[in-house]
Amino acid sequence: MKISFFTSAVLLCASMSVVAQKKWSETSKGTFSLIQNQGGQKLGYSPASGTKILTVNGLAFKDLNKNGKLDKYEDWRLPYDVRAKDLASKLSIEEIAGLMLYSAHQSIPARAGGYFAGTYNGKPFKEGEVDPSDLTDQQKKFLKEDNLRHVLITTVQSPEIAAQWNNKLQAYCESVGAGIPANNSTDPRHGTKARAEYDAASGGEISMWPSSLGLAATFDPSVVQKFGEVAAAEYRALGITTALSPQVDIATEPRWARFNGTFGESPLLSAAMAQAYCDGFQTSLGSKSTNSGWGLGSVNAMVKHWPGGGSGEAGRDAHYANGKFAVYPGNNFDAHMIPFIKGAFKLKGKTQMASAVMPYYTISWNQDKKNGENVANNYNKYIISDLLRTKYKYDGVVCTDWLVTGDHKAMDVFIDGKSWGVENLSLAERHYKILMAGVDQFGGNNDAKPVIEAYKMGVKEHGEAKMRARIEQSAVRLLRNIFRVGVFENPYLIPEETKAIVGKPEFMKAGYETQLKSVVLLKNQSQALPITTKKTVYIPKRYTPASRNFLGMESPASTDYPVSLDLVKKYFNVTDNADEADFAVVFIQNPTATMGYDKEDLKNGGNGYIPISLQYNDYTATEAREKSIAGGDPMENFTNRGYKNKTTKTANVTDAQLVVDTKAKMKNKPVIVSVNTTNPMVFSEIESSASAILVNFGVQDQALLDIISGKSEPSALLPMQMPADMVTVEKQAEDVPYDMKPHKDSEGNLYDFGFGLNWKGVIKDARTTRFIK
């Protein structure tokens, strides 16, 4: 007691005696103030929050818990781990439970209804009446009552609104408890708008880049690291300090709905891209950096999905109960961890490893070598504690995927609870099982009560000392990631700076140049491309079938030009008469697959399971396995999920017909086919009708026109195989890469992993040897 009193007295005396030797200055930014320490940290705080500034040895520190003294966690001179351990030891069970929550999706402003809904003083958002940067009633509740500090952001009205909302959020957090700032996060948000015209000078809301599959097609990790650096700068300008990415599952199952979010099917390429991505996001550059590599320019990377979710049986996805099983007929489970253990956990930069990991929903069928449990990865102690924590020495945050503790009520609903394999446990029991498996955080849960109940269960089984140590261990990991990115010192943004940074010209330019590098030229018969003079082009209208997104929102069918003709006219003359055209360009999508489950089949006496097709025309699965490898669900009275001899239709079969019809109309004149694809596909139905084929993974139409016109030369390579037919798809093993017979075109080229053309022919360079099969 005497030592503690003496220490406090010294600090207090120091605080009172250094007015003349103060080494900091303060400026007001309206709703918050900035303090610059000489040779030290810049602090941002909200005077309205009640936070006071302590002066120790002439330097300024924030008194976040408002106790009048400098605690270790408030001392920016100390190492992150020391600060995290100090704060974790001071927190109540309720406060730690709040840290272990990760919010459901938050839209800024909140939508009036539906999945991302919220209210303001009990009323829905109304333009002109509610400030879109205000906090919702729900946000205030989970921040104060549930002590939540990890917030998932979806749509934002504008970068400036996002910055203003961030400042209100952080001031609110600063005003309660220990003053722990919010750690805001996002799913990937750098996708392209196809019809948007590129103009570097104009800037934009955020820079536009190809999908992860498009980044992989560059076969150049330095491009991915550059993306990470740009994205991190834009994220920090929006108040985002954690990226729920990269997705590094090796996509060994070609029918998988999440194929497009991966770096393809190669373990080595995926590892290299994962490493570059995490280094780009996490490493602070220039004046924002520290000796550890972390700092005010860093964004935590939450790499997913441990131990790999790319081998769902028959291509079905584990967001749905009908796709809950990952299977390993090729005994290739270990290869799926390569992007983690040789990539994300083995960085070249100073931050050393991805700071967070998200397991996937799947039950990794029969892979628990210790307990023999077939439960979802989030619940599996062998997969989390024995493999990830013990064998691979990972001590970062492990956060479940969203809704894993929810109740399972439907086989085919996206927002259904995903408690695969533990459906019969109570809500608290699910949280307890996850906690004791070695997980730190619960995705999509705003409510602390089940976490507190789980803690109480642990106290009964293991005693209070052990359970306190267990959850304090998670608290340290979670707090460490918040300390590393500097928001304990300054979580505030200047909206004008946000506007200048997000989508600034150099970022837009880097994104567009990468789009150009991501387009694969698969076929170029008789050097149909490039078309360097202003010839006349015929672009047929495309039929888009009616569709429904993952939240159930419907889009009606339509028929329209697939690109902006005004944009095309900047490159070529345009006609709607094929007879007048010198060449045609047909813009299509890859075959639109079903989810592999059909209620009509169930109504007609089947098991509900149908094939997922990668071809346009009707497909009957005559070569599918008789009996599924895995099966079982409380809502089903069978375990065989087989679909042999069943038939499925593809919604956009009209795309294939459009290519064939255009070929007929053009007679012997060139037909260029541009395919925007999310998965491998069967090319045999359209390839013979095409003079040239370009494949892209989400780019602006202008990038395609720059390549067609010869302003840019294609350089990308296929990050996956294109199967010869659906028989080879059925015969491949879900967990094994490169095990399909690739399509062979009229030029004798195989559409295999690593294949691509430039104007001279087949590309053979260092990339094609570095990432060999």
Side-chain angles (χ1 to χ4, degrees), residues 478-509:
L478 291 160
L479 289 167
R480 184 169 56 203
N481 284 0
I482 306 177
F483 279 113
R484 282 168 165 173
V485 295
V487 287
F488 266 93
E489 278 58 72
N490 181 25
Y492 296 99
L493 303 171
I494 298 173
E496 295 78 15
E497 292 182 359
T498 291
K499 184 178 180 180
I501 291 170
V502 178
K504 69 179 182 179
E506 69 178 85
F507 292 171
M508 298 295 283
K509 183 173 185 287

Side-chain angles (χ1 to χ4, degrees), residues 94-95 98 101 137-149 172 176 446-449 452:
E94 290 75 18
E95 288 172 314
L101 305 177
D137 301 329
Q138 293 75 19
Q139 289 161 0
K140 291 176 183 176
K141 177 187 180 299
F142 65 56
L143 291 169
K144 188 172 184 178
E145 295 180 22
D146 294 289
N147 298 296
L148 183 149
R149 289 297 179 273
Y172 192 86
V176 295
N446 298 357
D447 185 0
K449 289 190 290 294
I452 296 169

Side-chain angles (χ1 to χ4, degrees), residues 106-119:
Q106 305 296 308
S107 182
I108 306 170
R111 297 182 182 183
Y115 191 40
F116 305 132
T119 57

Side-chain angles (χ1 to χ4, degrees), residues 17 39 51 160 253 360 422 468 476 480 572 580 657-658 704:
S17 64
T51 297
E160 300 99 302
E253 169 45 61
Y360 204 38
V422 295
R468 172 74 199 197
V476 170
R480 184 169 56 203
F572 306 107
E580 296 175 355
Q657 194 59 48
L658 187 63
L704 298 170

Side-chain angles (χ1 to χ4, degrees), residues 147-160:
N147 298 296
L148 183 149
R149 289 297 179 273
H150 294 79
V151 183
L152 174 57
I153 299 171
T154 56
T155 57
V156 298
Q157 190 175 96
S158 71
E160 300 99 302

